[in-house]
Amino acid sequence: MRTAPAGPEPVRRHDHPAPALGSLGLFTVLLGAALPLVDFFVVNVALPTIDRDLDAGPAMLELVVAGYGLAYAVLLVLGGRLGDMAGRRRLFLVGMAAFGITSLACGLAPDAWTLVGARVAQGAAAALMLPQVLATIQAATRGPRRARAMSLYGATAGLSMVTGQVLGGVLVAAAPMSSVFGESAGWRSVFLVNVPVVVVGLVLAARAIPETRADRPAPVDVPGTLLLALALVTLLAPLTEGRAAGWPLWTWVSLALCPLSAYAFYRVERRADRLGRVPLVPASLMRLDSLRRGLALVVPFSVGYGGFLFVIAVVLQQGLRLGPAAAGLSLAPMALAFFGASLAGPRLVRRYGARVVTAGGLIQAVGVVVLVLTVHRSWAGLGPWGLLPGVAIAGLGQGLQLPVLFRIVLSDVPPEQAGVGGGVLTTTQQAALALGVATLGTLFLALVPALGMRDALVVTLLAQLAAVALTVGLSLRLPRTVG
């Protein structure tokens, strides 16, 4: 009896790993997602003590924040592409290990310039690690489990930003006085606390995260990578450093170069696509309606969110004279409300779809209005309890928006482009957060000498309210159903 010839051996798809991402693996990648975002904001509360201990000055303090944010934003898309090529689990492990080492370098920095250099390296390590989180979720989960994982990722991202400032305040106030570090133990602890967390994360990642990679990984688009980096640096560097440096000539030259480098990036990417190469950001990805419309909302949301967290950190410590712990804990109601809304989000999305984002924006707007009225009427003697209603309502609205937006942005991204898609999303979010710190922060600090801190805060909150109104309007254009 003749047997039929064996067919060709089936192609193994690396983006459909077995076993899939389990609960422990999901916890581990979410831990990796939390670390970079916590560290972007954790230093806000620690900046006054860094200034006193290292005699840093305003411009150097800006570099401590901006150096991390720039390296992080510039390299995120490249980090996603490298994960698609070399394996997302492998890049996650490398990025997390590097994040732990650079956190140790930050915590042991003997002077301000060393701290800035370590922060830049820490941002680069974060850019290797974070895109692998979204890519692994996209490639190793399916159906309702993916929806739940994406909701948890969005919750983790939003919660981490607020938790960063809460944790920073608590650590600065509670760190033990040591014979080694003396009074600097407080700010050093906000970096050193990462080290044991990273060790735990590496052990868990080695055991619980499956390896995934793209079926046909494309080589790195060097011209596109360099031009994207140039566009981001020429935009964010002058905005973050300009005010503290007195707006010298280089800041204006840099801002003038930004649109030129962005246009050059667009042309190079289009040309690569026409020639059959794979650009850094594939055109097929940007043609996805869900991705484009979702990113359009992520930008104003993150601008307002990042700017608010920076400004409120300054107000609480310098305007209301709260200690680091009280300043950090003042935002705890926002974090708790955000977390509660994030947990309820998946059920609400199943029933109401993308209209949950619209409702969240309206609730956030109410919270901002409550904060404006509270600050205007009760500035004298204002403390954590007075701020509680406004920040809690705003946090509730934010928690209904961000997790759903992340799900929408990545809902139609194919698994083989999961790393690039995650890199595009996180780059957009990070650049917008840094832009919010730069624009709303600069607006607030520029208004303080003329208006005083109370009225400067009111104007800044009204500017944030305009960003919230924009997100509400754009949310009406989102696809009604959420994948």
Side-chain angles (χ1 to χ4, degrees):
M1 181 176 178
R2 298 180 63 184
T3 57
E9 182 179 349
V11 176
R12 178 172 297 174
R13 289 185 58 84
H14 295 283
D15 276 315
H16 297 74
L21 185 68
S23 297
L24 184 60
L26 178 60
F27 170 80
T28 306
V29 294
L30 292 179
L31 178 66
L35 283 172
L37 290 168
V38 166
D39 262 63
F40 183 76
F41 289 96
V42 74
V43 297
N44 282 350
V45 180
L47 287 176
T49 55
I50 293 174
D51 188 17
R52 287 195 300 269
D53 187 56
L54 299 183
D55 193 24
M60 193 65 69
L61 291 178
E62 293 277 2
L63 278 176
V64 170
V65 178
Y68 177 88
L70 278 172
Y72 184 32
V74 164
L75 297 173
L76 276 166
V77 177
L78 178 62
R81 174 61 62 82
L82 291 175
D84 288 346
M85 293 172 57
R88 292 148 189 159
R89 176 178 173 272
R90 179 181 299 174
L91 263 292
F92 183 87
L93 288 167
V94 170
M96 180 169 273
F99 191 85
I101 293 169
T102 53
S103 295
L104 181 64
C106 289
L108 299 178
D111 54 59
W113 277 112
T114 304
L115 178 59
V116 169
R119 283 284 282 173
V120 171
Q122 190 187 33
L128 281 181
M129 175 172 59
L130 187 63
Q132 319 316 325
V133 175
L134 282 170
T136 299
I137 291 173
Q138 285 288 97
T141 59
R142 296 291 178 269
R145 185 166 183 81
R146 178 187 290 178
R148 176 174 173 271
M150 288 303 304
S151 294
L152 287 173
Y153 176 86
T156 301
L159 194 61
S160 298
M161 293 183 256
V162 184
T163 303
Q165 297 201 176
V166 176
L167 180 64
V170 172
L171 287 173
V172 168
M177 303 293 285
S178 73
S179 58
V180 178
F181 296 128
E183 293 184 359
S184 69
W187 71 261
R188 293 182 188 279
S189 67
V190 305
F191 301 113
L192 296 177
V193 72
N194 292 332
V195 178
V197 177
V198 164
V199 171
V200 172
L202 288 172
V203 172
L204 293 177
R207 297 182 58 185
I209 299 179
E211 183 63 282
T212 65
R213 58 170 56 85
D215 290 332
R216 294 178 296 276
V220 173
D221 174 14
V222 176
T225 300
L226 293 177
L227 286 171
L228 178 62
L230 181 62
L232 289 170
V233 169
T234 52
L235 173 66
L236 297 177
L239 288 178
T240 52
E241 282 295 300
R243 184 198 59 82
W247 298 106
L249 178 62
W250 73 263
T251 59
W252 301 107
V253 172
S254 180
L255 286 172
L257 286 174
C258 176
L260 298 177
S261 55
Y263 179 69
F265 171 73
Y266 169 76
R267 291 298 300 269
V268 166
E269 295 295 276
R270 285 286 301 272
R271 182 171 183 272
D273 194 47
R274 284 198 306 269
L275 295 175
R277 303 170 188 158
V278 181
L280 183 66
V281 181
S284 60
L285 203 62
M286 299 311 298
R287 283 194 290 266
L288 296 175
D289 192 54
S290 56
L291 184 137
R292 291 199 317 274
R293 294 190 181 189
L295 289 180
L297 270 82
V298 169
V299 171
F301 178 92
S302 299
V303 166
Y305 202 17
F308 170 78
L309 290 176
F310 172 79
V311 169
I312 201 67
V314 175
V315 168
L316 291 171
Q317 292 195 80
Q318 297 182 17
L320 300 179
R321 303 297 180 186
L322 299 180
L329 291 173
S330 295
L331 296 178
M334 175 179 281
L336 292 174
F338 190 107
F339 184 65
S342 301
L343 293 180
R347 293 192 300 273
L348 294 173
V349 166
R350 284 195 296 269
R351 184 169 181 180
Y352 300 107
R355 292 298 172 259
V356 173
V357 177
T358 306
L362 293 172
I363 294 171
Q364 183 187 359
V366 172
V368 175
V369 170
V370 170
L371 277 174
V372 168
L373 295 175
T374 301
V375 169
H376 183 70
R377 294 176 179 177
S378 309
W379 178 255
L382 184 62
W385 288 108
L387 293 170
L388 189 151
V391 297
I393 296 170
L396 181 67
Q398 291 160 346
L400 292 175
Q401 294 175 81
L402 194 61
V404 183
L405 286 176
F406 282 1
R407 280 181 59 182
I408 291 171
V409 169
L410 296 176
S411 58
D412 296 324
V413 174
E416 61 269 16
Q417 293 181 330
V420 178
V424 169
L425 171 57
T426 48
T427 297
T428 302
Q429 182 198 22
Q430 181 59 36
L433 287 170
L435 190 60
V437 172
T439 54
L440 293 184
T442 298
L443 172 66
F444 170 75
L445 294 172
L447 291 175
V448 167
L451 301 181
M453 197 161 288
R454 184 197 71 171
D455 291 342
L457 176 59
V458 168
V459 173
T460 306
L461 288 172
L462 292 175
Q464 185 194 4
L465 188 61
V468 174
L470 179 59
T471 62
V472 171
L474 291 173
S475 70
L476 299 176
R477 300 181 64 248
L478 291 173
R480 185 61 185 267
T481 58
V482 179

